Amino acid sequence: MGNREVRTPSAEDVERAWSVVRAVLPPTPVVGEGPLLKLESLQPTGSFKVRGALNALAAIGRGEHVVTASAGNHGLGVAFAATRLGRPATVVVPENASSAKIAALGRFDIELVREGRSYAEAEAHALRLAERGAYFLSPYNDPHVIAGQGTIGHELAEQLTGRRLTVVCAVGGGGLASGLGLWAATQPDVRIVGVEVDAAPSMAEAVKAGHQVPIEVRPTIADGIAANLEPGSVTIDLVAKHVDRIVSVTETELRAAVRHLAATHGVVTEGAGAAAVAALLAGKVESRGDSDRLVALVSGRNIALGVLAEVLASSQP
């Protein structure tokens, strides 16, 4: 997988993606006092990932088949985009994927393939399918996906006109942080701060080393940002160049953020979706003065109900 040649996107790619995404998706709201919340959890698939998927499928040739591997937010984004744009797509999921996710994917007009006992095996099968002539769509190591995620920045610029901003976002594979960083590089006074879970510091280690570093991923409720990076991913250099810094949060801090968002704002989030808020609540990101507005991206809501109930009922890690 690390041998795929992937073009590094530019700020111009993000600008072009903005015209694609805004034609389909209405703006998600910015709410709150003090630190602001950008509620990407209110996207039709429950996650910001739909932006990158829409832009990618619009950019890829109309007759070209897209294949991806994901039983989560990326898969739902691809399924939504393929159905909305009338493009052929295959989503490969492991055989042990949750029934709820299978049901959610099944509502869309895609080919759903169940293969393998793990995500790695499902991804390997998707790559084999792509070798037969399809386009393999990575959840983050793809220029169209990265550019699509960066459209959140253009939306923020219209919603918070003329503001000095610190935008805080979760970092897993780095597609979101990379896209936002490309946008921020065109703005007069915007900085991007990334947030990892300390159970999986994949990007921080890669940026420090200058290349992908295999790590041991520990259990976490932030499964959406807990994985090893694809070797050679273009997001490593983009994050190193355009993201101000990366901080990490603990499981205790993530759980506290999920509870805070539910109790204070009535917002349901998954673990990864609450990472930016967790960093703010823990005092790990501070504003640059009175003129700086902190904006936390609430990136997704797709949490299993049993996990949500357990987190809400407990004040323990």
Side-chain angles (χ1 to χ4, degrees):
M1 188 171 175
N3 294 325
R4 295 189 304 117
E5 291 292 332
V6 178
R7 177 179 64 84
T8 300
S10 65
E12 289 73 22
D13 290 312
V14 179
E15 179 74 33
R16 285 189 289 270
W18 178 222
S19 65
V20 173
V21 171
R22 73 189 308 180
V24 177
L25 300 175
T28 55
V30 176
V31 303
E33 299 293 333
L36 303 173
L37 306 177
K38 174 67 167 166
L39 298 182
E40 285 294 292
S41 54
L42 297 183
Q43 291 289 7
T45 61
S47 163
F48 76 94
K49 295 271 190 177
V50 68
R51 293 175 180 268
L54 274 168
N55 186 55
L57 267 72
I60 296 165
R62 178 171 290 275
E64 190 166 3
H65 198 102
V66 169
V67 61
T68 194
S70 171
N73 292 330
H74 174 64
L76 286 170
V78 171
F80 175 93
T83 301
R84 180 63 184 260
L85 300 177
R87 304 295 173 83
T90 297
V91 178
V92 183
V93 302
E95 293 174 353
N96 61 354
S98 76
S99 58
K101 290 178 179 178
I102 294 296
L105 287 166
R107 291 195 290 268
F108 296 101
D109 186 17
I110 59 164
E111 179 186 12
L112 183 61
V113 175
R114 303 179 71 170
E115 180 73 28
R117 292 175 293 179
S118 67
Y119 172 78
E121 291 182 2
E123 182 181 61
H125 184 69
L127 287 165
R128 288 193 295 272
L129 292 178
E131 289 173 355
R132 301 174 188 172
Y135 184 101
F136 178 78
L137 188 61
S138 167
Y140 59 88
N141 191 24
D142 183 276
H144 308 305
V145 168
I146 292 168
Q149 318 306 27
T151 62
I152 295 174
H154 285 286
E155 203 164 285
L156 283 172
E158 292 190 354
Q159 293 172 313
L160 303 171
T161 307
R163 300 294 185 91
R164 187 185 194 206
L165 301 177
T166 292
V167 182
V168 188
C169 70
V171 177
L176 174 58
S178 294
L180 284 170
L182 287 168
W183 162 74
T186 69
Q187 304 300 303
D189 204 354
V190 175
R191 67 169 176 162
I192 308 300
V193 176
V195 183
E196 287 184 319
V197 57
D198 66 2
S202 305
M203 184 59 74
E205 292 298 322
V207 168
K208 187 187 306 179
H211 55 81
Q212 186 261 7
V213 178
I215 65 164
E216 179 184 354
V217 177
R218 302 193 305 276
T220 174
I221 64 167
D223 56 293
I225 55 173
N228 273 285
L229 297 176
E230 176 180 335
S233 176
V234 298
T235 58
I236 298 170
D237 287 343
L238 287 170
V239 168
K241 183 176 181 180
H242 296 297
V243 173
D244 184 74
R245 59 196 174 98
I246 298 174
V247 301
S248 67
V249 293
T250 67
E251 288 302 295
T252 299
E253 290 162 349
L254 279 173
R255 287 167 174 262
V258 171
R259 289 191 294 270
H260 170 83
L261 285 163
T264 306
H265 299 282
V267 172
V268 171
T269 53
E270 58 196 89
V277 173
L280 291 177
L281 291 176
K284 295 181 177 180
V285 183
E286 297 181 349
S287 72
R288 298 170 290 174
D290 293 341
S291 64
D292 189 35
R293 296 306 305 269
L294 290 171
V295 182
L297 297 190
V298 179
S299 54
R301 67 170 185 261
N302 295 321
I303 185 171
L305 291 180
V307 174
L308 178 63
E310 185 270 322
V311 172
L312 295 180
S314 173
S315 59
Q316 301 301 312

